[in-house]
Amino acid sequence: MTILEERVANRRTFAIIAHPDAGKTTLTEKLLLFGGAIQLAGAVKTRGEQRRARSDWMKVERERGISVASSVMTFDYRDKTFNLLDTPGHEDFSEDTYRTLTAVDSAVMVLDGAKGIESQTRKLFEVCRLRDMPITTFINKFDREALDPFDLLDDIEQTLALDVVPASWPIGMGRNFLGCYDLFNDRLVLVAKGKDNHMDEGVTCNGLDDPKLDELLPADAVQKLREDVEMARGLCPEFDLQAYLEGTMTPVYFGSAINNFGVETLLNGLTEAAPSPRAAPAAGRNISPLEDKVSGFIFKIQANMDPKHRDRIAFMRLVSGHFKRGAKLKHVRSEKTLNIHNPVLFLAQDRELAEEAWPGDIIGIPNHGNLRIGDALTEGEEIRFTGIPSFAPELLQKVRPVDPMRAKHLGRALVQLAEEGAARTFKTRMGSDWVVGVVGGLQFEVLADRIRTEYDIPVNFQATELYTARWVECDDAREMKKFTDANQASLAEDHDDAPVFLARNSWHLERAEKDWPKIRFLKTKEQSA
Ligand code: G4P
């Protein structure tokens, strides 16, 4: 095995998807603990709060108790290196979440045991399904009253149309939660009362008939465990690694993240089964992680936490090759060479200067705005990665500076924010108004706050009559010109100067689609590359 092959085989890049409050933050914290990345439970939140206190624009985030900014956490466990990409849970920021999911190879779906599949779990799952992504399920909060495990399995199977296989089985719940039986490794793992840092040490058993179980558990609990597992084995298929990797089957773990129970069993499962970095789709061919030449794509841009600096960090997923600090990479869109001399890796304690990185790793590249979402960096080849979507905004508002003299400055700020992926911005052909489009309403507040604090431009957002936006394309330039001439009042340009049709209502859009059959009205625009 070459070093590259070995490093690729040992990487696990994943995200956690969950409805808010299911326990994503708690689980993240415990996973990091196992990786030795942080010393104390609670550190993720504390650090988060300290960081937030520093930046004014994140006030919105503090007030609402949601996480606006995603980050990357790297930790080692056994012989594997895990990259955990955090995704904001609030549905208003789903666009950011969707993009982050383009940079991972698998996902852990966390459910609240008392609630099962919730609205946001379902939406996020649909995005994973589009990419046939392997999903591991963790059903949390079994230290509280929860739904019956059979009903939970049924809920996942029915709601998500996914084959389910219990990987562990809970023994009791709430006050009577005694532990789990690890079905993949035949181990009994009991809740250790009064122990803070729980390890799922467990006792290896010789199947469920092992008399050890009768010694370690009350008689009624053993009997129920044996009956339940027999029934579950009768109802569910056997674990099939291939089906899991193709995204059609999910192994299900039970536990209680807050008590650190079941987390190690889950982590062992990910270590063994979760996929190593996959090939990335690109125009013309797929790029294998084992290719020697370095390549990667930008999936997220984050404004610097310090509002006085215009610096940004572009998050690049390394797709192939062995990256070393100081590498000169071609920025395919601008055809310029970038010298990556100060990349950052995101270890949980702090940002660290990256000396090297391997496929599946995420590298932060500080820049002044030249890098955009969807951009490719390579060792020379003109690669265009595909499948990093830009979504049609569902909410559109006009934005004006409080001081009309600042209109030009506002225009520049909006273009920068659009390049960063924080919103879509359109300049109307008639009237030259700025229209901002977002996927979730809360984004308007965050934007107004950022434009005021980072660019020093107080602005007002105003409701519009607009319904939605569609990027327009046509293979026939003459037809395109006819269309644009006839629809000047409904046309705008996005920050890349791509033409956009702004529809007043659904009828207006349907009518235009009918009248102009040669024009394509696109809901998503793949990021320019
Ligand atoms: P999220 O990131 O998915 O939104 O969820 P988070 O981890 O913040 O957890 C949401 C709430 O659920 C928190 O309580 C957390 O303590 C609790 N929780 C997480 N895992 C478990 C579990 O296994 N069992 C029980 N009983 N509760 C759990 P909170 O009161 O909202 O916040 P906090 O004051 O505890 O931080």
Side-chain angles (χ1 to χ4, degrees), residues 16 18-30 45 65 86 89 110 112 138-144 255-261:
I16 300 180
H19 191 87
D21 250 17
K24 190 181 63 172
T25 312
T26 312
L27 180 64
T28 301
E29 207 171 275
K30 305 296 178 185
K45 267 195 179 160
D86 191 25
V110 180
D112 180 332
F138 183 77
I139 306 190
N140 192 25
K141 305 198 187 181
F142 253 70
D143 57 305
R144 289 215 187 133
S256 162
I258 199 140
N259 294 306
N260 207 6
F261 185 87

Side-chain angles (χ1 to χ4, degrees), residues 279-290:
R285 69 192 184 99
N286 288 349
I287 313 294
S288 157
L290 298 176

Side-chain angles (χ1 to χ4, degrees), residues 149-150 153 166-171 180-184 186 207-209 213 221-236 254:
F150 285 104
L153 294 178
S168 68
W169 195 265
I171 305 165
C180 283
Y181 190 81
D182 175 346
L183 293 162
F184 287 178
D186 266 314
L208 278 154
D209 293 329
L213 290 174
V222 189
Q223 196 192 344
K224 181 150 188 347
L225 172 67
R226 287 180 176 140
E227 283 168 13
D228 278 1
V229 170
E230 193 183 296
M231 193 161 136
R233 285 191 168 142
L235 290 169
C236 302
F254 293 84

Side-chain angles (χ1 to χ4, degrees), residues 189-205:
V189 189
L190 294 174
V191 174
K193 291 252 157 48
K195 250 181 146 184
D196 260 4
N197 277 342
H198 198 286
M199 300 291 197
D200 295 346
E201 278 154 6
V203 182
T204 304
C205 297

